[in-house]
Amino acid sequence: MAVEAIGHWTLPDSAYAMWVRGELDAYLRIPDDGTRVEVVGGEFVVSPAPVFAHAVILSDIQRGIDYARFQDPAHPWRVVQAINLDLVEVGDGYIPDLVVMDAEVEERGLAENATYLRPDQIGLVVEVTSSSNAHNDRRPVLGRRVKPTRWSGYARTGVPYYLLVDRDPRDPGVTLFGEPDRREGSYAVLGEWKFGDTVRLPSPFGFEFRTNTWKPWTA
């Protein structure tokens, strides 16, 4: 079974610098099969390609946004999946499952043939957990050394909203985080839903999606 791997190798440069230059995948000899290489808390993280159920969840969310746009052509939000996100302030580089941005950001990205997005270009970021990497998507676990996660990285760089779909069978659900505290690297909880609920995201987004077919991961 494919699992996430966290790297402690000796690299010729920092993992973040190599990620930004597009050299990290080749240096680690990562196969071109959907495997993702990110830098979380200064360490490189190699994650397997998402499974089918994971991809369906992202498609359901994207359909909710597309439907809102169909109903109102002036709906400002656009969505992309698996785009490079450069968090230069914390020296990390992520590949979020899904990013929601303003239409103007999409237009500029296409015009400039952008390689990366920045946190200040994002309205909402979505992560869907898998059994191998859920710890990196959630808030950090308190201990003698609090290890940064994507949750804290998004907060420290000011991403306004973070939607976490946690497929953990012990407590599956959806949580909307907001009001990022950049100094503390933390979010407030703005909404929580169980699998089976219809998720209605508040202003400024104004779209909804169903979760009735979503399932927790299996062992």
Side-chain angles (χ1 to χ4, degrees):
M1 180 179 67
V3 297
E4 180 186 70
I6 300 175
H8 300 278
W9 293 11
T10 299
L11 301 174
D13 202 344
S14 73
Y16 168 71
M18 295 181 70
W19 186 89
V20 169
R21 294 196 301 266
E23 300 171 356
L24 190 56
D25 291 49
Y27 187 85
L28 299 175
R29 299 181 182 178
I30 300 300
D32 186 16
D33 59 357
T35 300
R36 299 182 187 182
V37 180
E38 301 171 275
V39 180
V40 181
E43 299 177 337
F44 72 80
V45 177
V46 181
S47 302
V51 298
F52 184 77
H54 185 287
V56 167
I57 289 173
L58 296 175
S59 294
D60 285 343
I61 297 172
Q62 182 161 352
R63 275 192 291 267
I65 300 172
D66 291 342
Y67 183 67
R69 183 180 176 187
F70 172 78
Q71 290 185 305
D72 178 10
H75 194 263
W77 299 107
R78 303 293 185 266
V79 59
V80 293
Q81 296 187 24
I83 185 71
N84 290 330
L85 179 63
D86 185 1
L87 291 82
V88 62
E89 292 180 62
V90 295
D92 279 359
Y94 304 161
I95 306 176
D97 283 328
L98 187 149
V99 166
V100 179
M101 72 194 83
D102 187 271
E104 293 182 1
V105 173
E106 180 187 64
E107 291 173 3
R108 288 200 304 271
L110 289 171
E112 299 170 2
N113 195 26
T115 304
Y116 305 98
L117 284 177
R118 303 185 310 271
D120 64 346
Q121 296 175 302
I122 291 175
L124 170 74
V125 65
V126 180
E127 297 285 6
V128 179
T129 67
S130 301
S131 58
S132 65
N133 68 3
H135 60 284
N136 263 329
D137 292 330
R138 300 173 181 144
R139 70 185 73 201
V141 177
L142 298 179
R144 286 188 297 177
R145 177 178 179 266
V146 179
K147 186 177 180 181
T149 65
R150 296 182 187 93
W151 186 90
S152 59
Y154 289 136
R156 286 194 183 280
T157 53
V159 174
Y161 296 94
Y162 176 32
L163 189 73
L164 177 63
V165 179
D166 200 336
R167 298 179 59 230
D168 191 326
R170 294 172 296 181
D171 189 24
V174 182
T175 305
L176 176 65
F177 297 99
E179 302 174 7
D181 184 326
R182 300 181 69 156
R183 184 176 65 85
E184 296 292 334
S186 64
Y187 280 110
V189 175
L190 303 184
E192 294 181 286
W193 300 264
K194 296 295 185 182
F195 282 12
D197 294 341
T198 295
V199 176
R200 296 180 175 87
L201 293 187
S203 177
F205 299 106
F207 65 86
E208 63 181 50
F209 50 89
R210 297 179 179 179
T211 68
N212 55 300
T213 63
W214 296 8
K215 303 293 183 184
W217 69 61
T218 56

